[in-house]
Amino acid sequence: MNTMKVSVWDTYVHRMDGNTMHFDILVPSTLQDTITIFSYGREYLETKPFGTGQLSTEECRFCHIQAVPDEVALKIQEKGYYIIEMENCT
């Protein structure tokens, strides 16, 4: 498989308990539509058992482009995106 290049969107969302979630949304580097990217972030947030704040350009910003391992590339091809949980995501 060719190495997939992805855009990394650095995301910080406030939780209702006062903590701040930090996660990255990885999407194909060709995807630049923020409405779609933010919808992926919201879809991910809906899987959480706790309440969260909004997700917009204030919380989610383009960071950089990088190559990803094949297993991550496969998940992106299947679902459209991949989430890397960094802080306060569980």
Side-chain angles (χ1 to χ4, degrees):
M1 173 182 269
N2 291 335
T3 303
M4 177 186 270
K5 298 271 191 202
V6 299
S7 296
V8 177
W9 289 75
D10 199 28
T11 310
Y12 293 86
V13 174
H14 295 290
R15 291 173 37 160
M16 297 305 174
D17 64 7
N19 289 318
T20 300
M21 294 177 68
H22 176 202
F23 58 93
D24 288 341
I25 304 170
L26 278 55
V27 297
S29 60
T30 54
L31 177 61
Q32 297 178 2
D33 177 26
T34 56
I35 292 170
T36 299
I37 295 163
F38 294 168
S39 74
Y40 290 154
R42 288 185 198 100
E43 181 178 303
Y44 162 72
L45 290 174
E46 288 174 7
T47 69
K48 296 301 173 183
F50 45 80
T52 61
Q54 67 178 0
L55 192 148
S56 68
T57 56
E58 292 299 312
E59 294 78 30
C60 184
R61 296 175 192 240
F62 172 76
C63 187
H64 63 276
I65 293 178
Q66 70 180 49
V68 293
D70 288 347
E71 54 271 11
V72 173
L74 286 171
K75 299 236 187 233
I76 292 171
Q77 289 173 343
E78 290 170 7
K79 195 170 187 175
Y81 68 97
Y82 185 80
I83 300 290
I84 298 176
E85 295 182 331
M86 311 284 267
E87 296 176 277
N88 298 313
C89 294
T90 57

